[in-house]
Amino acid sequence: KNVSDAFFRDELQTLAANGQIDAFRGKFLDMHPYDQTAFFMELPEDIRLHIYTYLSPEEMAAIMEHIELDDIKPLVTEMDPRFAAMVIAEMATDDAVDILNELRKDVVVSLLTIMDDKNADEIKELLHYEEKTAGSIMTTEFVEIYQATTVSDAMQYLKAEAPEAETIYYLYVVDADKHLVGVLSLRDLIIADSDVKIADLMSDKVLSVSVAEDQEDVARMIRDYDFLALPVVDFQNHLLGIITVDDILDVMDEEASDDYSKLAGVSDVERPKDS
Ligand code: ATP
Ligand code: MG
């Protein structure tokens, strides 16, 4: 039974409409968030409004991450603002920023006011970056570690950080002033002896991009070097964020359609945003 089955969809919708929350949650959350999204996007508004009250902000955030940016605005607007703020706070910061960039300024301000300070501050930082730069697509959920740390302490630390991190495959090494000084992969870490220091394990030839770098150049670099992620630094080489390969796929889509529009002679004004 899955979302492509019309009977299953009807059954789920009936459970939602009748307020059979536990039964609904059981069947709904059993699906992959991508399928949850496919079901959700077919629903009429009154049922969507029910569902916002059945799901936790975290569960709703997982769905939001699969919704096209163009479709998100009405959803955020119809949600209770407190719930919307919590959902956005649960999302990866780069996705949260993409959504906020679609909303009216006053809506953004009120959502950020409701949100807890830690999440609001991270998002506010990212909102400042110029469109189509590395800064505008990076996320701040990365794992950073100090050179003096041992492998076993690094493993403990990674375990604690993993639930929030966008990727745990690379650990970026920073000095006391948060300058980026090295990198190692999870593979490097788990095959090393537990009392080895990170300084002796890391590679100090770490490639990074500047926050101001064009997203197209970042895409090219990730592709050429076959990395799963790249660190983003400011002009003093402070580590600010990472860009992961899934963000790069979105960039490539966007740039391909930009190029297509140019070829087809469609002006920027006529072209719908982000299509
Ligand atoms: P390998 O390709 O060696 O089998 P892997 O497939 O596990 O390793 P990769 O993603 O290919 O991992 O990374 C290989 C190496 O590249 C890792 O040891 C990692 O430390 C290094 N690395 C990762 N990111 C960067 C970076 N930004 N700059 C330089 N080196 C990096
Ligand atoms: Mg490799």
Side-chain angles (χ1 to χ4, degrees):
K1 276 191 171 180
N2 61 50
V3 270
S4 59
D5 176 346
F7 286 111
F8 180 66
R9 285 201 306 267
D10 284 348
E11 192 187 342
L12 258 186
Q13 189 163 334
T14 307
L15 291 174
N18 293 345
Q20 290 169 273
I21 302 179
D22 290 339
F24 170 79
R25 285 177 53 84
K27 289 194 162 59
F28 182 73
L29 295 173
D30 210 29
M31 298 190 287
H32 187 280
Y34 178 82
D35 295 321
Q36 293 172 11
T37 306
F39 169 77
F40 183 80
M41 293 309 288
E42 295 297 315
L43 295 173
E45 181 181 344
D46 58 318
I47 310 243
R48 287 201 303 270
L49 293 177
H50 281 299
I51 290 181
Y52 299 138
T53 67
Y54 301 163
L55 298 178
S56 71
E58 196 179 356
E59 289 157 356
M60 192 62 215
I63 298 173
M64 299 280 273
E65 286 176 8
H66 290 282
I67 301 178
E68 294 288 326
L69 218 41
D70 290 338
D71 297 327
I72 285 228
K73 192 173 165 177
L75 300 181
V76 174
T77 316
E78 75 191 7
M79 282 178 199
D80 172 77
R82 294 197 56 81
F83 184 68
M86 287 191 287
V87 171
I88 292 171
E90 285 293 339
M91 300 179 70
T93 43
D94 53 343
D95 295 327
V97 167
D98 286 346
I99 291 180
L100 293 178
N101 274 325
E102 296 292 308
L103 304 175
R104 278 207 330 261
K105 250 228 162 81
D106 57 314
V107 178
V108 174
V109 171
S110 67
L111 287 173
L112 289 175
T113 312
I114 304 172
M115 210 178 282
D116 67 90
D117 289 344
K118 184 179 162 286
N119 280 303
D121 289 348
E122 276 183 17
I123 289 173
K124 275 185 224 158
E125 282 288 321
L126 290 179
L127 279 170
H128 289 138
Y129 295 109
E130 204 63 44
E131 226 194 319
K132 293 179 191 287
T133 61
S136 75
I137 57 170
M138 71 183 184
T139 175
T140 48
E141 285 115 354
F142 54 83
V143 183
E144 62 183 349
I145 202 156
Y146 296 112
Q147 278 167 279
T149 315
T150 61
V151 165
S152 62
D153 287 345
M155 295 273 232
Q156 280 306 113
Y157 179 68
L158 188 59
K159 197 169 168 180
E161 292 293 302
E164 292 293 317
E166 176 84 15
T167 175
I168 57 164
Y169 197 63
Y170 298 129
L171 287 83
Y172 297 103
V173 187
V174 292
D175 67 13
D177 300 319
K178 302 273 164 137
H179 295 108
L180 176 64
V181 294
V183 60
L184 66 158
S185 70
L186 182 57
R187 190 205 301 266
D188 300 330
L189 187 72
I190 58 181
I191 63 179
D193 291 329
S194 54
D195 48 2
V196 171
K197 292 263 195 308
I198 293 301
D200 298 323
L201 201 61
M202 69 181 203
S203 159
D204 58 6
K205 291 180 197 60
V206 45
L207 290 158
S208 60
V209 295
S210 139
V211 268
E213 191 114 4
D214 189 298
Q215 63 178 13
E216 229 177 319
D217 296 331
V218 182
R220 206 167 296 128
M221 200 160 154
I222 289 201
R223 192 193 58 201
D224 292 348
Y225 286 91
D226 277 339
F227 290 139
L228 300 172
L230 267 181
V232 181
V233 294
D234 66 11
F235 296 102
Q236 287 86 42
N237 197 38
H238 295 111
L239 179 56
L240 298 180
I242 59 167
I243 295 173
T244 50
V245 68
D246 56 318
D247 302 320
I248 291 306
L249 294 177
D250 294 340
V251 168
M252 286 175 162
D253 275 355
E254 196 183 308
E255 300 285 348
S257 64
D258 281 2
D259 292 347
Y260 177 78
S261 305
K262 274 182 216 147
L263 278 177
V266 181
S267 81
D268 270 359
V269 193
E270 286 161 323
R271 186 168 46 85
K273 205 165 178 245
D274 283 312
S275 62

